[in-house]
Amino acid sequence: MNKHLKAIEFDKILEKLAEHTSFDDARQLALSLEPSSGLFEVNILLAETSDAHSLSGRFGSPAFGSIHNMNSSLRRAEAGAVLTPLELLRIASLLRTIRTVSEWRNRSDSVETSLDIRFNALMPNKYLETKISSAILSEEEIADNASPTLSSIRKKIAAASAKIRERLDKIIHSSSMQKYLQDSIVTMRGGRFVIPVKAEFRANVPGLVHDTSSSGSTVFIEPMSVVEANNDIRVLTSKEQAEIERILAELSAEAGAYADSVSQSYNILTELNVIFAKAELAYSMKASLPVMNSEGRIKLKKARHPLIPAEKVVATDIELGTDFDTLVVTGPNTGGKTVSLKTIGLFSAMAMCGMMIPAADNSELSVFDKILVDIGDEQSIEQSLSTFSAHITNIIGILSQANDKSLVLIDELGAGTDPVEGAALAAAILEQLRLQGARIASTTHYAELKRFALETKGVENACCEFDVAALRPTYRLLIGMPGRSNAFAISERLGMKSDVVSRAKELVSNESSRFESVVQKLEESRSELDEKIKETEDLKLEVQSELEKARIATEQAEKSKQNELELARSQAENIIAKARSQVYGVLDELEAIRKKKEISAEERAKLRSDIRNMENAADPVRERSNDEYVLPRPLQKGDRVLIFDIDKEGMVLEVGKDNVLVQSGIIKTRVQLNNLRLLKQEKVKLPKRSAARTIRRDIKSTASTEVDVRGQVVLDAILDVDKAIDSAVLQGLHQITIIHGKGTGVLRKEIQKHLKTHPSVRTFRLGVFGEGDSGVTIAELK
């Protein structure tokens, strides 16, 4: 890593990134990341990180596991080499991870992302994965079912071994051999079954000696009776090993055939692991996606340095390259100037590597060809360089490289030499860097550079705020405000004698004093402005809160309204259904009564009761609770009254014993006395008949000379006919045509039966040719 990036501690960020990777090659790739200077490429890198951030937040990160780079083994297999079981198992593990990651993407959101080109390029190979996994159990064990031949050989070895053990068991348990044996056990030496015999009795046990104990007291003898059987096992073991070699060669050849696809998929897995590591790092830093540009514009909102602990870091706003190309940061030591400088460079490098930054949304950063940095004490005894010399050497190198695509960060510019010369040199260096088009951020203690920033267009002051009362920095960067050294104030707060501080103030030049005074006034004005801004923000938040409450209340009211309407609609449907059911019941009763020749008094009473119940069920109006009202006097004809339960006004037409005939609009009805309220206007003249006729003439004409009731049930048809007759009478019409159709004739018969008793019908007849024949009835009205 070049020293400029190391100076802003970019290597530490890469180490944090590497901690989130899963295997060695991904870690090395993370540590070797370098900033890209192309805006298009950087936006692609950021889009990939953003998509990984979104996917892992919704579905969790894919499981990459601890896979190994098998490219070398695959190339050897491709060239014809036989791989070890361990190598083949690692290839199977790699194939399993390729398949798992591919399936993870298929199971997650189907919305297309910028990562899909990588996921789609993964080539799972379940065939080879299963073949290796089923054939090799561990790096030292091949499965019996790896091939039919291997399975057969191992069965023969097991059978031969069982026979040998059986023979040896008989030998060691025979009474004649017990005295010669060290232990009554069967063991193996050199792949052959043997028994332990005491050294002094080796001549008494015929057989081959294969080994001796360390003490020399025991010899391991293969009895002659099992030598041939052991020879058979050795032959079978050789065949077994040859079959294992053949199986490994076959699996190696298959792996070599897929070397290109497996290697390519591994490289894609490595890249994906680093991308998802960026996403996990973003979650750990609570980072957001920056908006990138190529114009050198930097606007960081609530930026938090990622290497400072979360409980200590202070969010700050930093701006550069907008209305000014150079930022001069002043203020006391340990106030956060260098941190601000490093934050600018570090965030730029992170974004150019496709990493999200710990700042508020919509923060802006720019791509740069080079980030050139001079931060820290680079004094070198070996090179006989002082701190000043080391800084100047660095700055000379920066001046030789800087251009309009460079970001230059210099800490304590001009420090380490005579203040007057150092300030002048610092101003000249800033001027030269500006001429070369660079974006510059520099820290300094020189008052001359503060004035330089105030007087030079395109150069802006900034300071790290310091709380003199508490003697501690707040670490907030204030753009547009030069910093004060606060040396006198700090000294006094720490207990320096006041006469010493006063003398020091006298020794300061008048010009410097005036400048510090102006800066102090600017700070006071800034503090007042901050307070007002805070009050405005608080008021804004309060207004937003009230607006939100009002919005919620409105939504609740609208929801309540919709609920009430739905309830009313449901109740109306229930009333209609109940009324329809009762109507059909009454119709059935009417039909049954019509067929009888005589109707009893009980049946008449029941029919009236059913009709009354039907009317009550169809009337959604509920009686209002009586408030024990008493009429102030007996009602008289012409009194204006209120029908209490339906809240309608009316006029008394006729007074009875328990009820009163009241006219409300065009409706006349009898009302119980306890349901009437006397209104203030006691008497009204009764309308004369001529007036009534005038009212009828003023009614909007809605009557028709015909009514069509085809397809209706009898009751509905009769109701429509009554309505049409009432409207025609009010309009002064003398004839109405009722269209009932021919059909079965039931509807015509019932309508004509109803017309016979209708008080407003003088006579009626069927239609003639041209009028509808027997499909219509023409009624003449009174």
Side-chain angles (χ1 to χ4, degrees):
M1 180 176 294
N2 70 57
K3 65 177 183 178
H4 297 287
L5 292 178
K6 200 164 187 177
I8 57 175
E9 301 177 290
F10 185 58
D11 56 326
K12 295 180 180 178
I13 290 296
L14 293 185
E15 287 174 6
K16 278 182 167 290
L17 175 64
E19 290 173 4
H20 293 281
T21 56
S22 302
F23 49 95
D24 289 341
D25 281 0
R27 175 180 174 80
Q28 293 304 318
L29 180 59
L31 291 173
S32 64
L33 288 180
E34 292 183 357
S36 171
S37 59
L39 179 61
F40 180 76
E41 183 180 353
V42 168
N43 280 329
I44 289 176
L45 294 174
L46 286 171
E48 289 178 337
T49 304
S50 177
D51 288 338
H53 187 264
S54 175
L55 287 171
S56 59
R58 296 172 61 190
F59 307 103
S61 298
F64 291 95
S66 299
I67 57 177
H68 297 81
N69 186 344
M70 302 307 298
N71 290 344
S72 174
S73 299
L74 288 165
R75 295 307 169 193
R76 283 175 39 236
E78 190 178 24
V82 177
L83 303 182
T84 65
L86 178 59
E87 288 177 307
L88 288 167
L89 283 174
R90 287 182 172 176
I91 291 173
S93 176
L94 173 57
L95 290 171
R96 188 179 305 111
T97 301
I98 293 169
R99 176 174 56 82
T100 302
V101 171
S102 179
E103 289 174 352
W104 176 89
R105 180 64 187 106
N106 292 334
R107 288 193 307 269
S108 61
D109 198 345
S110 60
V111 176
E112 188 175 349
T113 71
S114 58
L115 296 172
D116 288 346
I117 189 171
R118 298 181 190 272
F119 280 108
N120 293 335
L122 290 174
M123 288 176 275
N125 191 333
K126 185 72 183 297
Y127 161 74
L128 182 58
E129 175 198 338
T130 303
K131 190 166 185 178
I132 294 174
S133 300
S134 60
I136 305 176
L137 301 179
S138 69
E139 56 183 292
E140 297 176 350
E141 184 179 4
I142 306 299
D144 292 346
N145 60 357
S147 76
T149 303
L150 182 63
S151 177
S152 175
I153 291 171
R154 285 184 173 175
K155 285 178 182 177
K156 291 178 181 178
I157 291 173
S161 298
K163 286 180 181 179
I164 293 175
R165 282 184 174 279
E166 186 179 348
R167 289 180 187 176
L168 292 176
D169 281 342
K170 288 180 180 179
I171 292 173
I172 64 177
H173 289 101
S174 67
S175 57
S176 60
M177 292 292 293
Q178 287 287 328
K179 58 186 177 182
Y180 305 135
L181 299 178
Q182 193 72 263
D183 291 299
S184 297
I185 61 172
V186 176
T187 184
M188 293 192 78
R189 287 293 186 275
R192 301 179 78 90
F193 288 97
V194 296
I195 55 176
V197 179
K198 294 176 182 177
E200 61 268 27
F201 297 118
R202 62 178 290 183
N204 299 89
V205 180
L208 304 176
V209 177
H210 286 280
D211 197 4
T212 306
S213 67
S214 57
S215 63
S217 61
T218 305
V219 292
F220 296 94
I221 296 177
E222 178 186 6
M224 292 304 295
S225 60
V226 297
V227 168
E228 191 63 32
N230 268 329
N231 289 340
D232 291 342
I233 290 177
R234 290 298 294 267
V235 171
L236 289 172
T237 303
S238 298
K239 289 181 178 179
E240 178 191 28
Q241 193 58 41
E243 179 62 16
I244 288 173
E245 289 294 327
R246 188 196 67 77
I247 291 169
L248 292 178
E250 181 183 333
L251 293 174
S252 300
E254 294 239 32
Y258 295 106
D260 290 338
S261 64
V262 177
S263 295
Q264 181 183 341
S265 295
Y266 174 78
N267 294 335
I268 294 170
L269 279 185
T270 305
E271 294 168 357
L272 283 172
N273 189 219
V274 173
I275 293 170
F276 277 91
K278 292 177 185 178
E280 290 177 18
L281 179 64
Y283 274 112
S284 68
M285 296 189 303
K286 298 180 180 177
S288 66
L289 194 69
V291 178
M292 301 302 295
N293 64 78
S294 58
E295 290 82 36
R297 186 171 62 255
I298 297 173
K299 290 182 74 173
L300 297 176
K301 304 174 184 178
K302 299 189 184 332
R304 308 177 305 280
H305 196 287
L307 298 178
I308 300 176
E311 64 275 8
K312 295 181 180 179
V313 70
V314 177
T316 187
D317 296 342
I318 304 176
E319 190 173 331
L320 177 63
T322 50
D323 298 329
F324 50 90
D325 54 37
T326 303
L327 190 65
V328 177
V329 186
T330 52
N333 288 332
T334 70
K337 301 191 305 297
T338 305
V339 170
S340 298
L341 229 60
K342 287 184 176 181
T343 300
I344 295 172
L346 188 57
F347 278 28
S348 297
M350 287 173 66
M352 290 160 66
C353 286
M355 285 185 267
M356 298 165 77
I357 59 171
D361 291 338
N362 298 317
S363 293
E364 286 190 62
L365 285 168
S366 176
V367 292
F368 296 99
D369 287 348
K370 294 177 181 176
I371 299 176
L372 304 172
V373 182
D374 179 56
I375 294 176
D377 186 354
E378 298 190 17
Q379 183 176 2
S380 172
I381 295 174
E382 291 179 0
Q383 298 179 18
S384 301
L385 292 176
S386 66
T387 299
F388 176 74
S389 299
H391 280 307
I392 291 302
T393 302
N394 265 347
I395 290 170
I396 290 171
I398 289 171
L399 285 169
S400 67
Q401 300 179 65
N403 56 29
D404 60 345
K405 294 293 184 182
S406 300
L407 173 64
V408 178
L409 308 172
I410 304 177
D411 193 28
E412 300 295 350
L413 180 59
T417 187
D418 177 76
V420 176
E421 292 182 355
L425 184 60
I429 290 170
L430 290 179
E431 286 180 346
Q432 181 58 38
L433 287 170
R434 293 189 69 217
L435 283 174
Q436 292 175 216
R439 297 291 184 272
I440 311 154
S442 174
T443 66
T444 184
H445 283 287
Y446 293 141
E448 289 81 0
L449 285 185
K450 299 177 191 176
R451 283 195 290 271
F452 171 76
L454 286 171
E455 296 168 356
T456 308
K457 186 178 180 182
V459 182
E460 188 63 83
N461 270 305
C463 71
C464 288
E465 191 178 44
F466 190 86
D467 188 347
V468 178
L471 291 180
R472 62 181 180 81
T474 66
Y475 302 104
R476 288 179 58 213
L477 186 68
L478 306 175
I479 305 290
M481 176 68 64
R484 293 194 298 151
S485 66
N486 296 306
F488 297 151
I490 293 172
S491 299
E492 275 191 303
R493 293 283 297 175
L494 292 175
M496 181 73 73
K497 291 182 179 180
S498 59
D499 54 347
V500 175
V501 176
S502 299
R503 177 57 182 158
K505 290 179 179 178
E506 292 174 3
L507 293 175
V508 176
S509 66
N510 290 334
E511 184 179 352
S512 295
S513 297
R514 285 196 300 273
F515 181 76
E516 289 293 322
S517 176
V518 169
V519 172
Q520 182 177 357
K521 288 179 180 178
L522 281 172
E523 283 192 4
E524 291 171 355
S525 299
R526 194 262 314 157
S527 297
E528 291 177 5
L529 184 60
D530 281 351
E531 285 296 323
K532 290 180 179 178
I533 290 173
K534 187 176 182 304
E535 290 176 5
T536 304
E537 287 295 326
D538 291 343
L539 184 60
K540 180 182 176 182
L541 290 174
E542 186 178 344
V543 170
Q544 287 176 344
S545 175
E546 292 299 323
L547 286 173
E548 181 64 16
K549 288 179 182 177
R551 184 187 65 78
I552 292 172
T554 302
E555 288 180 355
Q556 289 177 343
E558 181 63 25
K559 188 175 180 181
S560 177
K561 172 187 170 185
Q562 293 300 327
N563 289 340
E564 290 294 332
L565 286 173
E566 188 62 31
L567 179 61
R569 189 177 294 110
S570 176
Q571 290 176 344
E573 288 174 355
N574 290 337
I575 290 170
I576 291 169
K578 187 175 180 181
R580 182 177 291 113
S581 174
Q582 291 181 342
V583 164
Y584 290 148
V586 171
L587 286 174
D588 290 341
E589 289 182 13
L590 283 171
E591 183 64 22
I593 292 169
R594 186 179 63 78
K595 292 178 180 178
K596 290 184 178 182
K597 295 181 179 180
E598 295 182 0
I599 304 175
S600 65
E602 291 180 2
E603 288 176 331
R604 290 180 183 275
K606 185 177 184 304
L607 184 58
R608 291 194 190 99
S609 175
D610 289 344
I611 293 173
R612 190 158 47 250
N613 292 336
M614 181 182 67
E615 290 174 348
N616 292 335
D619 185 5
V621 179
R622 297 290 180 264
E623 289 187 2
R624 299 167 66 188
S625 59
N626 202 321
D627 52 4
E628 302 301 328
Y629 175 81
V630 178
L631 288 169
R633 62 171 176 78
L635 293 177
Q636 300 174 7
K637 190 176 181 180
D639 282 341
R640 203 72 182 165
V641 293
L642 175 70
I643 304 173
F644 183 68
D645 60 353
I646 62 173
D647 200 26
K648 294 290 184 182
E649 292 186 17
M651 185 176 59
V652 176
L653 298 179
E654 182 182 307
V655 180
K657 184 177 179 182
D658 297 323
N659 53 54
V660 176
L661 182 63
V662 178
Q663 179 169 352
S664 178
I666 64 171
I667 303 298
K668 295 179 182 179
T669 182
R670 289 200 169 272
V671 185
Q672 296 293 323
L673 286 171
N674 60 5
N675 194 28
L676 294 175
R677 303 290 184 269
L678 182 62
L679 299 178
K680 289 183 180 180
Q681 182 184 358
E682 294 188 357
K683 286 200 175 185
V684 178
K685 289 185 179 180
L686 290 174
K688 296 180 182 178
R689 187 172 300 274
S690 59
R693 282 197 296 270
T694 303
I695 292 171
R696 285 198 298 270
R697 282 197 300 271
D698 291 339
I699 295 174
K700 183 178 179 181
S701 177
T702 58
S704 174
T705 59
E706 65 180 28
V707 56
D708 190 346
V709 296
R710 285 176 294 182
Q712 296 184 11
V713 297
V714 172
L715 185 60
D716 290 344
I718 289 173
L719 289 175
D720 286 352
V721 168
D722 283 347
K723 188 187 295 184
I725 291 172
D726 290 343
S727 298
V729 169
L730 288 173
Q731 287 295 311
L733 301 177
H734 299 291
Q735 183 175 291
I736 184 169
T737 301
I738 303 166
I739 306 171
H740 44 62
K742 297 177 183 179
T744 60
V746 174
L747 186 58
R748 179 185 71 241
K749 182 178 179 182
E750 292 299 329
I751 289 174
Q752 290 182 353
K753 183 177 177 182
H754 177 67
L755 293 178
K756 288 179 181 178
T757 59
H758 199 289
S760 298
V761 176
R762 185 189 305 277
T763 183
F764 61 86
R765 62 178 174 82
L766 285 174
V768 296
F769 181 77
E771 291 179 324
D773 296 329
S774 60
V776 301
T777 296
I778 299 173
E780 291 186 14
L781 306 179
K782 295 179 181 179

